[in-house]
Amino acid sequence: MFDGKSILITGGTGSFGHLYTQTLLQRYKPKRLIIYSRDELKQYEMQQKFGFGCMRYFIGDVRDRDRLTFAMRDVDFVIHAAALKQVPAAEYNPMECIKTNIHGAENVVHACLANEVSKVIALSTDKAANPVNLYGATKLASDKLFVAGNNMAGTKNTRFSVVRYGNVVGSRGSVVPLFRKLIDEGSDHLPITHEEMTRFWITLQQGVDFVLKNFSRMRGGEIFVPKIPSVRIVDVAAAMAPELPHKVVGIRPGEKMHETMCPRDDSHITVEFDDHFVIKPTIKFFGVKVDYAKNPLGEKGQSVEQGFAYNSGRNPHFLTVEEIRKLHLEAGL
Ligand SMILES: NC(=O)c1ccc[n+]([C@@H]2O[C@H](COP(=O)([O-])OP(=O)(O)OC[C@H]3O[C@@H](n4cnc5c(N)ncnc54)[C@H](OP(=O)(O)O)[C@@H]3O)[C@@H](O)[C@H]2O)c1
């Protein structure tokens, strides 16, 4: 589906953007793959790795609608990955987070509409479901902007969907690199926020594959949520350093004990498929009734029971310590 097409990824120099680029170039022959981000050094380094003829590098900020609109000329598909995503940084610099994650999202929607981009997927996070921190709240606002973008499309054929997933194993600023650093420095213990804390656990490759597949599944307006395992943070520590004791340091501000991807309050609009959920839009658009329980790949889903929530603490699938160790090895951590 991406052969001969022009694709733009905002935040293309980030962790997701790197692996997405690598995967796309391995599997398809795009006409152009445009990396859109601010920092010239990260782009320079990426050019050393991905210098193929189809690659284009645009310096630009998602806060700059004119630049985005210029970069998206003749683009078929957009992935919106640019974000400020560190929870404490967002609490201390709320307007910066709002400008990038909310105003940036609005600009992406407008630039896509102005250029009649065919399909757009915005990346979201479990922290956007019933948010308790500003980062999550801005991503929820961003999700709403992308869903509503379908309504703004009018007679244009631009379609917007959202992909929401949980902790990417080993991503920058997350618990795995922290534990790794402490282990390498010879720490005599590992800090645990709470003995019962759980998180959804997804590898970056699984995230990239899920986004790629949803370009074929999407009708516009859905929030796609993959079915992925949970881990107990104590098991992550045990997988990485079985010999080290744990010291409970308490839940940090803006953190939850368990994360949610499909909130209970959305159970009336949530559809379950074999390997993912779809949260349907609460508003209607396109002038026709869309049946979100079927997708263009022929997959069929069923409405979940009233009151259902997809929560990391009540996930039927938990990884064992051994499985976590194996997953980390496979992910090169
Ligand atoms: N990592 C996770 O655990 C996780 C989990 C769920 C969802 N997500 C979502 O996945 C997406 C990608 O995450 P990631 O892990 O790849 O993040 P990342 O490694 O921090 O990369 C973020 C990218 O966004 C760019 N960026 C930041 N501000 C920008 C701006 N104002 N204008 C243009 N580009 C900007 C950065 O480059 P410059 O600084 O050079 O501009 C960088 O390329 C985010 O939307 C995040 O919310 C991540």
Side-chain angles (χ1 to χ4, degrees):
M1 115 171 253
F2 300 103
D3 287 344
K5 300 291 185 189
S6 293
I7 302 131
L8 180 141
I9 171 159
T10 69
T13 55
S15 315
F16 178 91
H18 258 89
L19 193 61
Y20 180 86
T21 300
Q22 185 179 311
T23 307
L24 198 86
L25 294 177
Q26 276 166 358
R27 296 183 193 167
Y28 301 94
K29 290 200 172 9
K31 186 171 161 199
R32 286 183 303 152
L33 178 50
I34 305 163
I35 304 296
Y36 185 96
S37 63
R38 297 165 307 169
D39 176 34
E40 57 183 354
L41 180 63
K42 279 194 231 118
Q43 290 205 0
Y44 171 76
E45 286 167 354
M46 198 163 169
Q47 279 175 43
Q48 307 308 304
K49 195 168 163 196
F50 302 107
F52 307 96
C54 66
M55 297 298 296
R56 302 283 184 281
Y57 292 87
F58 263 73
I59 299 280
D61 196 314
V62 291
R63 300 181 189 184
D64 182 345
R65 189 180 298 184
D66 288 345
R67 183 69 178 152
L68 268 175
T69 306
F70 182 73
M72 279 188 205
R73 283 175 312 161
D74 300 324
V75 162
D76 301 291
F77 302 116
V78 167
I79 298 111
H80 178 48
L84 291 184
K85 58 170 213 192
Q86 295 298 330
V87 171
E91 300 297 311
Y92 280 109
N93 306 278
M95 278 316 298
E96 297 310 304
C97 187
I98 287 167
K99 282 183 207 163
T100 294
N101 294 0
I102 301 182
H103 297 173
E106 186 194 14
N107 290 336
V108 171
V109 169
H110 281 273
C112 289
L113 289 173
N115 284 288
E116 304 204 19
V117 169
S118 166
K119 291 183 177 182
V120 185
I121 288 190
L123 299 190
S124 181
T125 158
D126 47 10
K127 294 184 173 56
N130 295 341
V132 295
N133 52 54
L134 185 76
Y135 166 58
T138 60
K139 293 296 277 189
L140 177 61
S142 167
D143 294 355
K144 297 281 182 195
L145 284 163
F146 280 99
V147 170
N150 293 285
N151 193 39
M152 292 159 66
T155 54
K156 295 179 180 171
N157 281 326
T158 305
R159 296 288 178 262
F160 300 91
S161 296
V162 172
V163 163
R164 176 183 287 173
Y165 54 71
N167 269 48
V168 174
V169 184
S171 65
R172 290 186 300 166
S174 68
V175 68
V176 171
L178 171 71
F179 284 173
R180 174 59 52 216
K181 180 170 171 285
L182 292 170
I183 294 163
D184 291 347
E185 287 171 357
S187 174
D188 60 359
H189 73 276
L190 288 181
I192 300 287
T193 43
H194 194 288
E195 298 278 355
E196 284 166 29
M197 183 175 271
T198 65
R199 286 293 178 264
F200 287 110
W201 221 229
I202 185 170
T203 66
L204 198 47
Q205 188 66 60
Q206 287 168 334
V208 166
D209 291 343
F210 189 61
V211 170
L212 282 170
K213 188 144 197 192
N214 288 329
F215 272 102
S216 304
R217 284 179 170 142
M218 65 183 275
R219 294 176 181 278
E222 314 92 324
I223 298 177
F224 291 101
V225 172
K227 286 188 185 171
I228 49 178
S230 289
V231 294
R232 293 176 187 83
I233 298 304
V234 284
D235 290 342
V236 175
M240 294 181 70
E243 69 291 353
L244 285 187
H246 306 158
K247 190 162 151 192
V248 177
V249 292
I251 296 186
R252 293 174 302 178
E255 268 192 335
K256 290 180 184 173
M257 184 79 90
H258 309 288
E259 295 285 4
T260 299
M261 288 214 275
C262 303
R264 184 187 306 274
D265 292 329
D266 283 342
S267 61
H268 62 294
I269 49 168
T270 301
V271 180
E272 180 171 9
F273 290 77
D274 280 350
D275 65 354
H276 68 283
F277 296 95
V278 161
I279 304 176
K280 299 188 281 185
T282 50
I283 55 171
K284 297 205 168 27
F285 23 71
F286 312 141
V288 286
K289 197 172 180 299
V290 179
D291 182 1
Y292 289 100
K294 283 191 211 136
N295 66 33
L297 294 183
E299 297 165 326
K300 291 192 178 127
Q302 287 201 327
S303 295
V304 300
E305 281 182 15
Q306 286 287 331
F308 169 84
Y310 189 41
N311 175 286
S312 65
R314 291 193 297 278
N315 193 347
H317 183 190
F318 268 85
L319 294 180
T320 63
V321 172
E322 198 42 53
E323 285 169 335
I324 296 170
R325 202 172 284 134
K326 190 161 168 277
L327 191 87
H328 286 191
L329 265 178
E330 283 164 8
L333 298 165

